[in-house]
Amino acid sequence: MREPDFTLSAGPVAASPRVLAALGSPLVYHYDPVFLQRFRDTAEKLKRVFLTGNDVLLLQGEAVLGLESAARGLVQPGTKVLNLVQGVFGKGMGFWLRDFGAELHELEVPYNDAVDPAAVAAFLDANPGIELVTVVHSETPSGTFCDVAAIGAIAHAHGALTLVDCVSSLGGMPLRTDEWQLDVCVAGAQKCLGGPPGMTLMTVSEAAWERIRANPAAPRASYLSLLDWKEQWLDGDKFPFTPSVAELHGVEAAVDELLEKGLEHSIERHARAAAACRAGVKAMGLELWPRSEKIAAACVTAIAVPEGLTDVQVQAHCRERYGVMISGGQGAGNLVRIGHMGISARSLHPVVGLAAVGRTLLDLGVRVDLGAGLEAALAELSGTAAEVA
Ligand SMILES: *Cc1c(COP(=O)(O)O)cnc(C)c1O
């Protein structure tokens, strides 16, 4: 099959020409002064995206590496953890936590809903001694998000640390690490930052470091060790192992591109693309997957697949007939997702996604008002045309 014409997936997303050029820049020795400077600068710049004064780590593996490392570092047999589950990634975190010996408590809601912070407060009131709350900010497979601002404060007030999966939200949705009192935040570069998919970007608070240091089960001398990075790199200027030089170049370019226009601009751009996409879905006569638009994330728009069809069929037709790559439900349900992250949250990309999904459904025998959908999305975008790019 030929290359896709448009990648409007749930990530990895298409990268900008600048990121691609950076990925192709010379591969230098990792202790070359130029690379050391770049590595440090990139971490500093990321503090302005995470809005934190905490340590920032750049690990050489996709964000799952950061999530697993953080869970392993924070948990030992018997650690009391409250895991919030509103989708596939939250559920997956629970499997890890149990595996690492945690005394696991879960608050779970259907995968088209969001965990209510009031329920978290009530649970923590009723179950004193919870040491860690784990939460996914943007549940990408179902296109929902939860109120991490409130949950961070609630956890903190109950003496619990927080581990936040913000893999898909960083740079595209408001996330204020320090103000929201978040201890460990784990992100990826390949979602709203529009970077390559091979690095974990994460923040670790002083309180989290204390917990990890005091944990005899925390990995050391391991690919999964955060302590190695703290002791050898942050405190010792030596890499625990060779970082991925090309990936770092790509991440730095993506962060530079974001910061030049500013974090707020990036967040607004994602919000607008998402609003246009949702308006289009509704005007076409389709149903959004999230129970309410109030909990719809700005990263992807999840659309319920009409009865009689499957997400796999819709996705395949879109790609084969129109060269547009969208995402399926990834186990969250019978839904397809139009991603609007990084450069796909610019310009008329949401309209392309809607056109591809709408026309695909018509081709497959579903009656949708394609014209009304595209008009609605364009109206949303053109209201602020100067800002769309
Ligand atoms: C993309 C993503 C991850 C990383 O997981 P992959 O399956 O490797 O893509 C983790 N959490 C969330 C919420 C994500 O969107």
Side-chain angles (χ1 to χ4, degrees), residues 74-308:
L74 291 165
V75 170
Q76 60 182 295
T79 303
K80 292 186 167 68
V81 185
L82 174 61
N83 183 39
L84 308 181
V85 181
Q86 62 181 58
V88 172
F89 282 103
K91 196 74 184 171
M93 175 56 76
F95 296 139
W96 268 332
L97 293 167
R98 192 172 286 126
D99 223 33
F100 307 157
E103 180 188 311
L104 182 65
H105 302 266
E106 287 190 326
L107 276 180
E108 182 166 342
V109 297
Y111 289 5
N112 65 344
D113 206 344
V115 172
D116 181 359
V120 179
F123 187 92
L124 293 175
D125 283 339
N127 297 272
I130 296 285
E131 298 158 85
L132 175 67
V133 174
T134 49
V135 55
V136 179
H137 187 205
S138 158
E139 260 294 356
T140 328
S142 30
T144 60
F145 77 101
C146 74
D147 186 353
V148 168
I151 291 166
I154 290 165
H156 206 253
H158 287 80
L161 296 178
T162 44
L163 164 53
V164 182
D165 172 342
C166 58
V167 175
S168 64
S169 57
L170 184 72
M173 294 181 65
L175 174 81
R176 311 185 73 84
T177 303
D178 289 357
E179 196 181 311
W180 296 358
Q181 309 177 32
L182 310 176
D183 291 288
V184 179
C185 291
V186 180
Q190 77 275 26
K191 310 272 170 103
C192 290
L193 299 184
M199 272 191 128
T200 284
L201 324 170
M202 70 189 288
T203 69
V204 185
S205 72
E206 207 36 62
W209 281 129
E210 275 169 34
R211 171 69 58 95
I212 298 170
R213 269 195 217 98
N215 179 4
R220 284 179 179 269
S222 157
Y223 207 75
L224 290 169
S225 175
L226 298 181
L227 285 172
D228 289 356
W229 280 95
K230 176 68 170 164
E231 291 166 3
Q232 293 179 43
W233 170 248
L234 293 178
D235 299 340
D237 292 331
K238 276 185 66 188
F239 290 115
F241 47 85
T242 305
S244 164
V245 174
E247 293 277 335
L248 191 275
H249 292 159
V251 171
E252 185 187 36
V255 175
D256 281 345
E257 209 165 14
L258 186 148
L259 287 175
E260 276 166 19
K261 283 202 168 176
L263 179 59
E264 284 310 311
H265 179 274
S266 179
I267 288 169
E268 281 166 25
R269 195 162 56 76
H270 286 82
R272 198 169 300 118
C277 217
R278 291 197 300 270
V281 168
K282 289 187 295 176
M284 249 190 255
L286 294 170
E287 266 185 52
L288 293 167
W289 175 263
R291 183 183 54 77
S292 145
E293 277 194 71
K294 289 198 190 97
I295 59 164
C299 312
V300 300
T301 293
I303 307 164
V305 172
E307 265 190 41

Side-chain angles (χ1 to χ4, degrees), residues 16-37:
S16 70
R18 181 165 167 187
V19 169
L20 295 176
L23 285 168
S25 60
L27 293 180
V28 294
Y29 180 51
H30 62 306
Y31 283 113
D32 190 291
V34 164
F35 184 77
L36 289 171
Q37 191 60 44

